[in-house]
Structure formats: structure tokens, C-alpha cells
Amino acid sequence: MEENKIIKDIRILTEDFIPSRIVHRESQLSTLRDCLKPAMENKSTRNVFMHGSPGTGKTCISSYLISELKENADISTAYVNCWKNSTRFNVLYKIVSDLGFNLSVHRKGTPLDELLYIMENKLSEKPCIIILDELDRIENDRVIYDLLSFPQISIIMIANTETAMYNFDTRIRSRLSSSENIQFPSYSNSDIVDILKDRAEWGLFPNVIKDSQVEKIAEMSGGDARSAIGVLRNISEHADNKGLSKIPEKLMEKPVIISKLKDMQNLNENQKTICSILERKNKISPSELYQNYLVACEECSIKPVTERRLRTFVEELISSGIISSEGNTKSRVYFLN
DNA sequence: CATCCACCGGAACTTAGGGTTC
DNA sequence: GAACCCTAAGTTCCGGTGGATG
């Protein structure tokens, strides 16, 4: 097998990778670190609400500090992506399994009260920190109430918008009103350049990418580090597949879209179809989108969903910041961000 | 101003797939 | 193993909204 000449360590170019140092997020880092400090003395920590646009380091920082904390304190932790696990049952299921409690192998039939019973009886006294990522996507706020009833549990809530909790039950909002609120502004282009250079230094071989190419990626990322890292990974993989030893200028043309499409492992096939239509069409009306969707399904021999169902997928894409809409009713168009 | 039309989104209903119970 | 229950995903139905048209 031919050896890679571009990518030294692909793991460093994935969004799950936790870097050994965090750049341009000093204040958020120290605020969150302060919040988590009590865990070192076996005390429960404050609830935290972190919000900001996609790719502004929210998930990265929380994972970073949790792993740092685990080295210095005896805590248990769980991570839930509320997009993937949006129901009360799914959130609790993920937590219970992250905490390592034994479950019946039967995934679907485990009743809710069984999960609550496990939490009540098996949760130890040591501090337990639960990350609820993509909180905007949670369907049922009741699960937060469930979690708040355990004194040893504290929650790190991560959302794209500051308004994510506005629809929560007033009792829950009031319990959360003392949470630390941490805002994550978008990165500047030069911040993204620094982040990319860090990843490139550890993840790529020396001198395979030019500074001007890194700057180009940063410029196209719109302050979204996750997207920028995705682009870096994609063009690197692409160049490696072709057996090249440097990133060619030709690859720099429209990689943002490629990255967004490849990056969204959360998306279902229908949503990926929507994205690829928008990639081709730039701006498109709702009805035209559905017509194109039907054609695409026909081509791939996939059974299409109804127009109403597709609208729900579109709505999810909008709220996750992947696509946007413009104009009201008759003049409405959708486009990729 | 009345009417039409494209679009939006809530809600009830259906279907499918799985587990539990007896 | 039949009857039942639960959940997720998808469909059907429908009222509301607001720009366009005449």
C-alpha cells in the first residue's frame, strides 16, 4: 500500500479530536474551569449554559476540560448529543449507558421508569457532570427536570442560540436561572488560521500546505472552526488519494460545500439530498426544492417522503445553521450557508 | 378590498418494528 | 406464540399567513 504524503495523523483532523491546547478561547476556558473546580473537592459543580454559532468551540472546550478534570478528580460523566438523542427516553438511555450501568440488551423496550430506577439506585455520591450538546434539538424538557433532581448531577448545556431554553417549563428555567452563562462569539479569520495551523502542524506532514491556502480556508469558513477543520481534512484526504505530496491550488476552489456535506454525519439521506440540490441550485423556492427532491429520489430509486415531511427536514437544517431561508410566503427561497 | 395562491406548521392518525407478558 | 404495549417515523388534514393580482 502506498504511504500517505500529506496526512500524518487523521485523528487530529476530526472534529471529535480534543486538542492539547485551546487557542483564542481563554476567557471561556477559565470561566468553565472555575465552574468545574468544586468537583476536585468532591463537591457538585454549577450548571453551565454555553451558547454560540456552530464551530465556535463549545463542544471542544467542554470535552477538553472534562478530560482535564477526570485526571484530577473522581467524577463520572456522560455526553449526549440531543440531535441524535432528542427524546426523554433516548437522553436518559445515553446517560445511563455512558455512566456504565448495566442495561437490558433490548434497546427499544426498556421502559422509561426502568431508566429512572437505575439512575436513582446506581448513581454514586461522587459528582456527575452531564454534557447536553445541541440542546436546541431536545424534544422534551422533562428530562432536564429529571436530571436536576439529583444533587450530585450538574449539567453543561450547549446550544447554538441563547434562546434555546425559552420554551422550557418555568420550573426548569427557574432551577437553571443560577447557571453560569458563557457566550461563544464567532472566531475571527486570524483565529481560524491559528487553529488550522495547529491542527496542520500535528496532523499533516511539514510543508504540505501553504500559509495562503490556510488563510483561504479560514476566509471561507465564516468563523466556523468545525467547518474549517473539515475542509482541511477533505482537501488533505483528496490530495493523499491522488498520491500528491502537496495540496494543489486547484483543490482550493469550492471545498466548503464538500466539507459541509461530508461533515454532517448527523444528517439523514433526505437531508443530504436537500443539501446537494441546494449546492447545485444556489437559491431555490420550496416547491422547486420538492420537485428536485422527487427527481433525485427517482434517480436513486429511493422512496420519497411527503412534502410535509421534507419541510420538517428543511426546518431542522435551518435551525442547525446549515441552510437558510429568505423572504416570506411566495417569495421564499432556500440556500446553503 | 376580495380573492387567490404558495407556503408554513400544528395535530391527529397510521405504520412498522421491536419488547413484554402471560 | 398471540395479544398487547411503546416508540419513532412518516402521512394526512387543515387552518393560518402574507404577498400578488385585479
Side-chain angles (χ1 to χ4, degrees):
Chain A
M1 196 178 142
E2 202 173 330
E3 273 190 28
N4 286 346
K5 296 178 187 131
I6 305 273
I7 298 175
K8 189 164 66 181
D9 187 349
I10 187 71
R11 288 170 304 166
I12 290 171
L13 304 178
T14 59
E15 64 172 277
D16 294 335
F17 177 76
I18 305 167
S20 56
R21 67 178 191 129
I22 303 270
V23 291
H24 301 299
R25 280 295 178 249
E26 287 76 13
S27 79
Q28 289 85 354
L29 201 58
S30 80
T31 309
L32 185 57
R33 191 178 271 130
D34 285 347
C35 290
L36 299 179
K37 221 170 227 166
M40 317 243 293
E41 292 156 31
N42 209 27
K43 293 177 186 154
S44 60
T45 64
R46 282 180 74 182
N47 296 315
V48 181
F49 177 52
M50 312 203 297
H51 55 92
S53 302
T56 47
K58 307 180 292 294
T59 307
C60 185
I61 279 193
S62 44
S63 307
Y64 176 85
L65 283 179
I66 289 292
S67 70
E68 178 186 277
L69 189 61
K70 274 183 153 176
E71 287 173 15
N72 301 303
D74 184 22
I75 55 167
S76 49
T77 63
Y79 172 88
V80 185
N81 181 322
C82 298
W83 184 321
K84 290 178 183 164
N85 306 283
S86 61
T87 64
R88 185 181 175 202
F89 177 86
N90 288 145
V91 171
L92 285 173
Y93 185 92
K94 179 70 167 57
I95 291 169
V96 164
S97 77
D98 272 15
L99 295 177
F101 301 142
N102 280 335
L103 279 160
S104 126
V105 272
H106 309 302
R107 163 108 178 69
K108 297 261 177 181
T110 313
L112 196 56
D113 43 352
E114 165 90 23
L115 292 175
L116 289 167
Y117 178 84
I118 291 174
M119 293 283 284
E120 274 158 25
N121 290 280
K122 294 201 180 173
L123 201 61
S124 67
E125 294 296 311
K126 63 184 181 185
C128 173
I129 300 173
I130 291 170
I131 300 177
L132 297 180
D133 204 350
E134 309 270 10
L135 190 74
D136 319 64
R137 307 301 320 172
I138 204 157
E139 273 176 37
N140 190 339
D141 57 1
R142 178 66 198 269
V143 67
I144 301 192
Y145 195 78
D146 296 334
L147 297 177
L148 289 171
S149 68
F150 298 98
Q152 65 272 54
I153 288 184
S154 45
I155 317 175
I156 298 178
M157 292 160 287
I158 304 178
N160 289 341
T161 59
E162 195 172 1
T163 58
M165 296 198 293
Y166 283 11
N167 291 329
F168 286 3
D169 187 281
T170 42
R171 280 169 298 178
I172 297 173
R173 284 219 310 272
S174 118
R175 293 283 297 277
L176 292 174
S177 59
S178 60
S179 304
E180 180 71 35
N181 198 324
I182 309 180
Q183 195 191 351
F184 284 68
S186 290
Y187 289 111
S188 70
N189 282 357
S190 71
D191 294 344
I192 300 274
V193 167
D194 290 342
I195 291 168
L196 287 176
K197 282 188 174 171
D198 245 25
R199 298 282 181 126
E201 185 185 341
W202 300 102
L204 303 181
F205 289 108
N207 305 319
V208 297
I209 186 163
K210 289 189 229 158
D211 282 0
S212 67
Q213 292 174 319
V214 171
E215 282 156 19
K216 183 94 182 280
I217 297 172
E219 208 176 289
M220 284 187 290
S221 70
D224 181 343
R226 184 191 300 166
S227 158
I229 292 165
V231 171
L232 180 65
R233 184 182 68 242
N234 283 326
I235 58 174
S236 304
E237 281 180 331
H238 216 83
D240 252 345
N241 288 340
K242 289 187 171 176
L244 303 171
S245 54
K246 280 188 185 332
I247 305 280
E249 284 300 319
K250 219 178 79 187
L251 273 182
M252 302 301 304
E253 281 158 19
K254 211 184 178 186
V256 172
I257 304 291
I258 306 168
S259 151
K260 287 217 160 145
L261 290 178
K262 279 186 70 178
D263 233 23
M264 297 300 162
Q265 68 271 54
N266 285 334
L267 301 188
N268 62 39
E269 286 310 309
N270 288 304
Q271 289 170 320
K272 285 177 187 162
T273 307
I274 295 170
C275 288
S276 63
I277 292 168
L278 293 180
E279 188 190 2
R280 288 200 308 272
K281 298 277 181 176
N282 288 329
K283 288 190 175 180
I284 194 167
S285 71
S287 55
E288 213 184 329
L289 175 63
Y290 188 63
Q291 290 310 313
N292 277 268
Y293 164 78
L294 290 177
V295 171
C297 288
E298 173 86 17
E299 280 167 5
C300 306
S301 308
I302 297 168
K303 186 174 177 286
V305 295
T306 56
E307 189 264 343
R308 176 68 187 89
R309 184 73 186 129
L310 201 76
R311 248 173 17 226
T312 305
F313 293 142
V314 168
E315 188 194 322
E316 287 172 2
L317 288 170
I318 290 174
S319 65
S320 59
I322 299 167
I323 73 175
S324 293
S325 70
E326 206 176 75
N328 279 325
T329 57
K330 287 190 164 178
S331 59
R332 170 74 51 101
V333 285
Y334 297 120
F335 53 91
L336 271 182
N337 285 337

